[in-house]
Every structure is written in C-alpha cells, then in structure tokens.
mmCIF file of all heavy atoms in Angstrom:
data_model
loop_
_atom_site.group_PDB
_atom_site.id
_atom_site.type_symbol
_atom_site.label_atom_id
_atom_site.label_comp_id
_atom_site.label_asym_id
_atom_site.label_seq_id
_atom_site.Cartn_x
_atom_site.Cartn_y
_atom_site.Cartn_z
ATOM 1 N N ALA A 1 -21.667 29.965 -7.041
ATOM 2 C CA ALA A 1 -20.868 29.171 -6.112
ATOM 3 C C ALA A 1 -19.468 29.761 -5.950
ATOM 4 O O ALA A 1 -18.927 29.831 -4.838
ATOM 5 C CB ALA A 1 -20.775 27.726 -6.591
ATOM 6 N N VAL A 2 -18.882 30.213 -7.057
ATOM 7 C CA VAL A 2 -17.553 30.835 -6.998
ATOM 8 C C VAL A 2 -17.610 32.140 -6.206
ATOM 9 O O VAL A 2 -16.751 32.418 -5.360
ATOM 10 C CB VAL A 2 -17.009 31.059 -8.422
ATOM 11 C CG1 VAL A 2 -15.751 31.933 -8.383
ATOM 12 C CG2 VAL A 2 -16.707 29.727 -9.091
ATOM 13 N N ARG A 3 -18.620 32.952 -6.474
ATOM 14 C CA ARG A 3 -18.751 34.222 -5.741
ATOM 15 C C ARG A 3 -18.899 33.978 -4.241
ATOM 16 O O ARG A 3 -18.284 34.671 -3.418
ATOM 17 C CB ARG A 3 -19.956 34.997 -6.261
ATOM 18 C CG ARG A 3 -19.796 35.542 -7.669
ATOM 19 C CD ARG A 3 -20.949 36.465 -8.026
ATOM 20 N NE ARG A 3 -20.913 36.839 -9.435
ATOM 21 C CZ ARG A 3 -21.634 36.247 -10.384
ATOM 22 N NH1 ARG A 3 -22.469 35.258 -10.064
ATOM 23 N NH2 ARG A 3 -21.532 36.644 -11.642
ATOM 24 N N ASP A 4 -19.722 33.000 -3.864
ATOM 25 C CA ASP A 4 -19.964 32.732 -2.446
ATOM 26 C C ASP A 4 -18.738 32.155 -1.754
ATOM 27 O O ASP A 4 -18.434 32.513 -0.605
ATOM 28 C CB ASP A 4 -21.133 31.752 -2.298
ATOM 29 C CG ASP A 4 -22.467 32.359 -2.694
ATOM 30 O OD1 ASP A 4 -22.551 33.608 -2.769
ATOM 31 O OD2 ASP A 4 -23.414 31.595 -2.947
ATOM 32 N N LYS A 5 -18.033 31.273 -2.451
ATOM 33 C CA LYS A 5 -16.899 30.568 -1.838
ATOM 34 C C LYS A 5 -15.664 31.447 -1.713
ATOM 35 O O LYS A 5 -14.888 31.307 -0.759
ATOM 36 C CB LYS A 5 -16.575 29.331 -2.679
ATOM 37 C CG LYS A 5 -15.449 28.463 -2.143
ATOM 38 C CD LYS A 5 -15.870 27.710 -0.913
ATOM 39 C CE LYS A 5 -14.776 26.772 -0.432
ATOM 40 N NZ LYS A 5 -15.179 26.000 0.760
ATOM 41 N N PHE A 6 -15.471 32.370 -2.659
ATOM 42 C CA PHE A 6 -14.206 33.116 -2.719
ATOM 43 C C PHE A 6 -14.451 34.623 -2.636
ATOM 44 O O PHE A 6 -13.931 35.390 -3.446
ATOM 45 C CB PHE A 6 -13.452 32.749 -3.998
ATOM 46 C CG PHE A 6 -13.230 31.275 -4.168
ATOM 47 C CD1 PHE A 6 -13.983 30.535 -5.072
ATOM 48 C CD2 PHE A 6 -12.280 30.605 -3.409
ATOM 49 C CE1 PHE A 6 -13.790 29.172 -5.235
ATOM 50 C CE2 PHE A 6 -12.081 29.238 -3.557
ATOM 51 C CZ PHE A 6 -12.840 28.520 -4.464
ATOM 52 N N LYS A 7 -15.233 35.033 -1.653
ATOM 53 C CA LYS A 7 -15.624 36.441 -1.536
ATOM 54 C C LYS A 7 -14.437 37.374 -1.360
ATOM 55 O O LYS A 7 -14.476 38.530 -1.785
ATOM 56 C CB LYS A 7 -16.604 36.601 -0.379
ATOM 57 C CG LYS A 7 -17.965 35.983 -0.638
ATOM 58 C CD LYS A 7 -18.907 36.168 0.550
ATOM 59 C CE LYS A 7 -20.264 35.556 0.255
ATOM 60 N NZ LYS A 7 -21.187 35.671 1.415
ATOM 61 N N GLY A 8 -13.386 36.910 -0.721
ATOM 62 C CA GLY A 8 -12.247 37.783 -0.468
ATOM 63 C C GLY A 8 -11.203 37.792 -1.562
ATOM 64 O O GLY A 8 -10.190 38.500 -1.451
ATOM 65 N N GLN A 9 -11.432 37.037 -2.628
ATOM 66 C CA GLN A 9 -10.431 36.911 -3.688
ATOM 67 C C GLN A 9 -10.758 37.822 -4.872
ATOM 68 O O GLN A 9 -11.900 38.224 -5.065
ATOM 69 C CB GLN A 9 -10.346 35.465 -4.168
ATOM 70 C CG GLN A 9 -10.010 34.460 -3.080
ATOM 71 C CD GLN A 9 -8.608 34.630 -2.520
ATOM 72 O OE1 GLN A 9 -7.788 35.372 -3.061
ATOM 73 N NE2 GLN A 9 -8.316 33.926 -1.440
ATOM 74 N N ASP A 10 -9.711 38.123 -5.635
ATOM 75 C CA ASP A 10 -9.860 39.000 -6.807
ATOM 76 C C ASP A 10 -10.236 38.138 -8.007
ATOM 77 O O ASP A 10 -9.379 37.565 -8.675
ATOM 78 C CB ASP A 10 -8.537 39.733 -7.054
ATOM 79 C CG ASP A 10 -8.696 40.911 -8.010
ATOM 80 O OD1 ASP A 10 -9.822 41.124 -8.503
ATOM 81 O OD2 ASP A 10 -7.688 41.602 -8.262
ATOM 82 N N ILE A 11 -11.540 38.041 -8.258
ATOM 83 C CA ILE A 11 -12.044 37.186 -9.332
ATOM 84 C C ILE A 11 -12.972 37.998 -10.225
ATOM 85 O O ILE A 11 -13.911 38.627 -9.741
ATOM 86 C CB ILE A 11 -12.799 35.960 -8.785
ATOM 87 C CG1 ILE A 11 -11.882 35.113 -7.904
ATOM 88 C CG2 ILE A 11 -13.345 35.110 -9.935
ATOM 89 C CD1 ILE A 11 -12.556 33.890 -7.298
ATOM 90 N N CYS A 12 -12.703 37.954 -11.510
ATOM 91 C CA CYS A 12 -13.547 38.608 -12.516
ATOM 92 C C CYS A 12 -14.292 37.502 -13.268
ATOM 93 O O CYS A 12 -13.673 36.717 -13.988
ATOM 94 C CB CYS A 12 -12.697 39.437 -13.473
ATOM 95 S SG CYS A 12 -13.612 40.139 -14.853
ATOM 96 N N ILE A 13 -15.611 37.423 -13.062
ATOM 97 C CA ILE A 13 -16.426 36.414 -13.728
ATOM 98 C C ILE A 13 -17.084 37.036 -14.953
ATOM 99 O O ILE A 13 -17.781 38.047 -14.851
ATOM 100 C CB ILE A 13 -17.484 35.827 -12.782
ATOM 101 C CG1 ILE A 13 -16.801 35.158 -11.584
ATOM 102 C CG2 ILE A 13 -18.355 34.818 -13.522
ATOM 103 C CD1 ILE A 13 -17.765 34.605 -10.549
ATOM 104 N N LEU A 14 -16.849 36.433 -16.097
ATOM 105 C CA LEU A 14 -17.337 36.965 -17.368
ATOM 106 C C LEU A 14 -18.470 36.098 -17.894
ATOM 107 O O LEU A 14 -18.406 34.870 -17.815
ATOM 108 C CB LEU A 14 -16.197 36.992 -18.388
ATOM 109 C CG LEU A 14 -14.931 37.736 -17.940
ATOM 110 C CD1 LEU A 14 -13.759 37.359 -18.813
ATOM 111 C CD2 LEU A 14 -15.162 39.227 -17.962
ATOM 112 N N GLU A 15 -19.473 36.719 -18.442
ATOM 113 C CA GLU A 15 -20.609 35.992 -18.980
ATOM 114 C C GLU A 15 -20.380 35.701 -20.459
ATOM 115 O O GLU A 15 -20.336 36.620 -21.286
ATOM 116 C CB GLU A 15 -21.895 36.798 -18.800
ATOM 117 C CG GLU A 15 -23.148 36.069 -19.250
ATOM 118 C CD GLU A 15 -24.414 36.872 -18.998
ATOM 119 O OE1 GLU A 15 -24.347 37.849 -18.220
ATOM 120 O OE2 GLU A 15 -25.450 36.524 -19.580
ATOM 121 N N GLY A 16 -20.230 34.414 -20.785
ATOM 122 C CA GLY A 16 -20.025 34.024 -22.168
ATOM 123 C C GLY A 16 -21.323 33.937 -22.936
ATOM 124 O O GLY A 16 -22.414 34.187 -22.403
ATOM 125 N N THR A 17 -21.222 33.546 -24.176
ATOM 126 C CA THR A 17 -22.393 33.465 -25.052
ATOM 127 C C THR A 17 -23.143 32.151 -24.900
ATOM 128 O O THR A 17 -24.264 32.011 -25.378
ATOM 129 C CB THR A 17 -21.970 33.613 -26.517
ATOM 130 O OG1 THR A 17 -21.118 32.503 -26.865
ATOM 131 C CG2 THR A 17 -21.228 34.919 -26.746
ATOM 132 N N GLY A 18 -22.500 31.170 -24.271
ATOM 133 C CA GLY A 18 -23.070 29.832 -24.197
ATOM 134 C C GLY A 18 -22.598 28.924 -25.314
ATOM 135 O O GLY A 18 -22.922 27.737 -25.328
ATOM 136 N N SER A 19 -21.827 29.457 -26.239
ATOM 137 C CA SER A 19 -21.329 28.645 -27.357
ATOM 138 C C SER A 19 -19.866 28.960 -27.665
ATOM 139 O O SER A 19 -19.439 28.905 -28.808
ATOM 140 C CB SER A 19 -22.183 28.873 -28.606
ATOM 141 O OG SER A 19 -22.194 30.250 -28.964
ATOM 142 N N LEU A 20 -19.120 29.303 -26.634
ATOM 143 C CA LEU A 20 -17.697 29.630 -26.821
ATOM 144 C C LEU A 20 -16.820 28.388 -26.840
ATOM 145 O O LEU A 20 -15.753 28.393 -27.437
ATOM 146 C CB LEU A 20 -17.221 30.576 -25.717
ATOM 147 C CG LEU A 20 -17.800 31.989 -25.741
ATOM 148 C CD1 LEU A 20 -17.331 32.773 -24.510
ATOM 149 C CD2 LEU A 20 -17.398 32.718 -27.020
ATOM 150 N N TYR A 21 -17.239 27.351 -26.132
ATOM 151 C CA TYR A 21 -16.449 26.129 -25.983
ATOM 152 C C TYR A 21 -15.099 26.467 -25.354
ATOM 153 O O TYR A 21 -14.899 27.568 -24.846
ATOM 154 C CB TYR A 21 -16.343 25.381 -27.312
ATOM 155 C CG TYR A 21 -17.698 24.889 -27.756
ATOM 156 C CD1 TYR A 21 -18.515 25.673 -28.584
ATOM 157 C CD2 TYR A 21 -18.194 23.666 -27.320
ATOM 158 C CE1 TYR A 21 -19.775 25.233 -28.961
ATOM 159 C CE2 TYR A 21 -19.454 23.223 -27.693
ATOM 160 C CZ TYR A 21 -20.248 24.008 -28.514
ATOM 161 O OH TYR A 21 -21.497 23.594 -28.869
ATOM 162 N N TRP A 22 -14.155 25.481 -25.341
ATOM 163 C CA TRP A 22 -12.955 25.696 -24.538
ATOM 164 C C TRP A 22 -12.063 26.801 -25.108
ATOM 165 O O TRP A 22 -11.708 27.750 -24.403
ATOM 166 C CB TRP A 22 -12.153 24.397 -24.402
ATOM 167 C CG TRP A 22 -10.940 24.600 -23.541
ATOM 168 C CD1 TRP A 22 -10.899 24.674 -22.180
ATOM 169 C CD2 TRP A 22 -9.596 24.814 -23.989
ATOM 170 N NE1 TRP A 22 -9.619 24.921 -21.740
ATOM 171 C CE2 TRP A 22 -8.797 25.006 -22.836
ATOM 172 C CE3 TRP A 22 -9.002 24.858 -25.244
ATOM 173 C CZ2 TRP A 22 -7.425 25.236 -22.915
ATOM 174 C CZ3 TRP A 22 -7.628 25.086 -25.324
ATOM 175 C CH2 TRP A 22 -6.854 25.265 -24.168
ATOM 176 N N ALA A 23 -11.677 26.697 -26.357
ATOM 177 C CA ALA A 23 -10.756 27.689 -26.929
ATOM 178 C C ALA A 23 -11.370 29.084 -26.907
ATOM 179 O O ALA A 23 -10.706 30.071 -26.561
ATOM 180 C CB ALA A 23 -10.365 27.292 -28.352
ATOM 181 N N GLY A 24 -12.649 29.170 -27.264
ATOM 182 C CA GLY A 24 -13.309 30.463 -27.266
ATOM 183 C C GLY A 24 -13.453 31.042 -25.877
ATOM 184 O O GLY A 24 -13.272 32.248 -25.670
ATOM 185 N N GLY A 25 -13.775 30.198 -24.909
ATOM 186 C CA GLY A 25 -13.905 30.672 -23.536
ATOM 187 C C GLY A 25 -12.587 31.154 -22.968
ATOM 188 O O GLY A 25 -12.533 32.155 -22.237
ATOM 189 N N MET A 26 -11.503 30.441 -23.276
ATOM 190 C CA MET A 26 -10.185 30.872 -22.804
ATOM 191 C C MET A 26 -9.776 32.185 -23.461
ATOM 192 O O MET A 26 -9.231 33.087 -22.791
ATOM 193 C CB MET A 26 -9.153 29.784 -23.100
ATOM 194 C CG MET A 26 -9.353 28.495 -22.311
ATOM 195 S SD MET A 26 -9.169 28.697 -20.523
ATOM 196 C CE MET A 26 -7.376 28.725 -20.371
ATOM 197 N N ARG A 27 -10.020 32.333 -24.749
ATOM 198 C CA ARG A 27 -9.719 33.617 -25.424
ATOM 199 C C ARG A 27 -10.510 34.754 -24.811
ATOM 200 O O ARG A 27 -9.991 35.859 -24.616
ATOM 201 C CB ARG A 27 -10.049 33.524 -26.922
ATOM 202 C CG ARG A 27 -8.977 32.980 -27.801
ATOM 203 C CD ARG A 27 -9.245 33.275 -29.272
ATOM 204 N NE ARG A 27 -10.578 32.890 -29.681
ATOM 205 C CZ ARG A 27 -10.912 31.696 -30.157
ATOM 206 N NH1 ARG A 27 -9.995 30.759 -30.279
ATOM 207 N NH2 ARG A 27 -12.156 31.437 -30.509
ATOM 208 N N PHE A 28 -11.789 34.505 -24.527
ATOM 209 C CA PHE A 28 -12.672 35.529 -23.976
ATOM 210 C C PHE A 28 -12.128 36.057 -22.644
ATOM 211 O O PHE A 28 -12.064 37.269 -22.415
ATOM 212 C CB PHE A 28 -14.074 34.934 -23.795
ATOM 213 C CG PHE A 28 -15.150 35.933 -23.509
ATOM 214 C CD1 PHE A 28 -15.519 36.866 -24.457
ATOM 215 C CD2 PHE A 28 -15.820 35.922 -22.294
ATOM 216 C CE1 PHE A 28 -16.529 37.787 -24.203
ATOM 217 C CE2 PHE A 28 -16.828 36.827 -22.021
ATOM 218 C CZ PHE A 28 -17.188 37.762 -22.976
ATOM 219 N N ALA A 29 -11.718 35.139 -21.760
ATOM 220 C CA ALA A 29 -11.147 35.545 -20.473
ATOM 221 C C ALA A 29 -9.789 36.210 -20.652
ATOM 222 O O ALA A 29 -9.465 37.197 -19.982
ATOM 223 C CB ALA A 29 -11.027 34.322 -19.561
ATOM 224 N N TRP A 30 -8.986 35.680 -21.568
ATOM 225 C CA TRP A 30 -7.636 36.221 -21.796
ATOM 226 C C TRP A 30 -7.720 37.649 -22.334
ATOM 227 O O TRP A 30 -6.939 38.524 -21.937
ATOM 228 C CB TRP A 30 -6.890 35.307 -22.765
ATOM 229 C CG TRP A 30 -5.394 35.350 -22.642
ATOM 230 C CD1 TRP A 30 -4.638 36.315 -22.057
ATOM 231 C CD2 TRP A 30 -4.473 34.352 -23.127
ATOM 232 N NE1 TRP A 30 -3.302 36.001 -22.146
ATOM 233 C CE2 TRP A 30 -3.169 34.806 -22.791
ATOM 234 C CE3 TRP A 30 -4.622 33.157 -23.815
ATOM 235 C CZ2 TRP A 30 -2.026 34.084 -23.130
ATOM 236 C CZ3 TRP A 30 -3.478 32.431 -24.143
ATOM 237 C CH2 TRP A 30 -2.201 32.885 -23.802
ATOM 238 N N LYS A 31 -8.664 37.892 -23.231
ATOM 239 C CA LYS A 31 -8.824 39.243 -23.772
ATOM 240 C C LYS A 31 -9.181 40.237 -22.668
ATOM 241 O O LYS A 31 -8.725 41.395 -22.682
ATOM 242 C CB LYS A 31 -9.898 39.264 -24.857
ATOM 243 C CG LYS A 31 -9.471 38.630 -26.169
ATOM 244 C CD LYS A 31 -10.609 38.646 -27.182
ATOM 245 C CE LYS A 31 -10.198 38.011 -28.496
ATOM 246 N NZ LYS A 31 -11.312 37.990 -29.483
ATOM 247 N N GLU A 32 -9.988 39.797 -21.726
ATOM 248 C CA GLU A 32 -10.327 40.680 -20.604
ATOM 249 C C GLU A 32 -9.094 40.968 -19.759
ATOM 250 O O GLU A 32 -8.868 42.108 -19.340
ATOM 251 C CB GLU A 32 -11.417 40.033 -19.747
ATOM 252 C CG GLU A 32 -11.959 40.913 -18.638
ATOM 253 C CD GLU A 32 -12.733 42.130 -19.129
ATOM 254 O OE1 GLU A 32 -13.235 42.111 -20.274
ATOM 255 O OE2 GLU A 32 -12.834 43.118 -18.365
ATOM 256 N N ALA A 33 -8.284 39.948 -19.515
ATOM 257 C CA ALA A 33 -7.051 40.146 -18.749
ATOM 258 C C ALA A 33 -6.083 41.075 -19.473
ATOM 259 O O ALA A 33 -5.332 41.824 -18.834
ATOM 260 C CB ALA A 33 -6.389 38.799 -18.471
ATOM 261 N N LEU A 34 -6.106 41.053 -20.802
ATOM 262 C CA LEU A 34 -5.210 41.910 -21.580
ATOM 263 C C LEU A 34 -5.496 43.399 -21.364
ATOM 264 O O LEU A 34 -4.618 44.240 -21.611
ATOM 265 C CB LEU A 34 -5.327 41.591 -23.073
ATOM 266 C CG LEU A 34 -4.658 40.317 -23.574
ATOM 267 C CD1 LEU A 34 -4.936 40.114 -25.051
ATOM 268 C CD2 LEU A 34 -3.159 40.326 -23.310
ATOM 269 N N LYS A 35 -6.690 43.724 -20.908
ATOM 270 C CA LYS A 35 -7.005 45.124 -20.634
ATOM 271 C C LYS A 35 -6.146 45.675 -19.505
ATOM 272 O O LYS A 35 -6.006 46.886 -19.371
ATOM 273 C CB LYS A 35 -8.490 45.274 -20.289
ATOM 274 C CG LYS A 35 -9.425 44.933 -21.449
ATOM 275 C CD LYS A 35 -10.884 45.014 -21.030
ATOM 276 C CE LYS A 35 -11.818 44.634 -22.176
ATOM 277 N NZ LYS A 35 -13.249 44.670 -21.770
ATOM 278 N N GLU A 36 -5.579 44.782 -18.699
ATOM 279 C CA GLU A 36 -4.666 45.167 -17.611
ATOM 280 C C GLU A 36 -3.272 44.586 -17.864
ATOM 281 O O GLU A 36 -2.549 44.269 -16.920
ATOM 282 C CB GLU A 36 -5.211 44.671 -16.273
ATOM 283 C CG GLU A 36 -6.617 45.122 -15.945
ATOM 284 C CD GLU A 36 -7.161 44.438 -14.696
ATOM 285 O OE1 GLU A 36 -6.443 44.420 -13.660
ATOM 286 O OE2 GLU A 36 -8.276 43.897 -14.754
ATOM 287 N N HIS A 37 -2.908 44.457 -19.119
ATOM 288 C CA HIS A 37 -1.684 43.737 -19.495
ATOM 289 C C HIS A 37 -0.445 44.235 -18.758
ATOM 290 O O HIS A 37 0.399 43.437 -18.332
ATOM 291 C CB HIS A 37 -1.479 43.845 -21.003
ATOM 292 C CG HIS A 37 -0.284 43.109 -21.526
ATOM 293 N ND1 HIS A 37 -0.119 41.747 -21.368
ATOM 294 C CD2 HIS A 37 0.811 43.548 -22.211
ATOM 295 C CE1 HIS A 37 1.029 41.380 -21.929
ATOM 296 N NE2 HIS A 37 1.603 42.437 -22.452
ATOM 297 N N ASP A 38 -0.326 45.533 -18.593
ATOM 298 C CA ASP A 38 0.860 46.077 -17.932
ATOM 299 C C ASP A 38 0.940 45.696 -16.455
ATOM 300 O O ASP A 38 1.987 45.875 -15.824
ATOM 301 C CB ASP A 38 0.884 47.601 -18.065
ATOM 302 C CG ASP A 38 1.177 48.058 -19.489
ATOM 303 O OD1 ASP A 38 1.701 47.246 -20.273
ATOM 304 O OD2 ASP A 38 0.867 49.213 -19.823
#
C-alpha cells in the first residue's frame, strides 16, 4: 500500500523479522538511515 500510494517519494521499506516490536523496529530503520548519516 505504501509503495502504491507514494511512488514518487523517497521511501526505503525494510523487512523486519516479525518480532522486533516498537523499539526494535525503530532501531532497525534508524540503523539503515545511519548508513547515510553524513
């Protein structure tokens, strides 16, 4: 739904484990963003 609705936007969708919960899911996305920290 996100891919279809926001095709023109810069969105990186990450596949979690299914058991990350809120804190784990936020860390998972944040770590990916850190790869472009600069």
Side-chain angles (χ1 to χ4, degrees):
V2 170
R3 291 188 188 98
D4 291 343
K5 182 72 176 181
F6 306 105
K7 290 180 179 178
Q9 302 294 349
D10 195 358
I11 300 179
C12 174
I13 299 177
L14 306 163
E15 184 177 345
T17 64
S19 58
L20 292 175
Y21 295 91
W22 182 78
M26 293 296 281
R27 274 195 309 270
F28 192 66
W30 205 341
K31 286 178 180 179
E32 186 67 23
L34 284 177
K35 295 176 182 178
E36 305 172 49
H37 182 59
D38 289 341

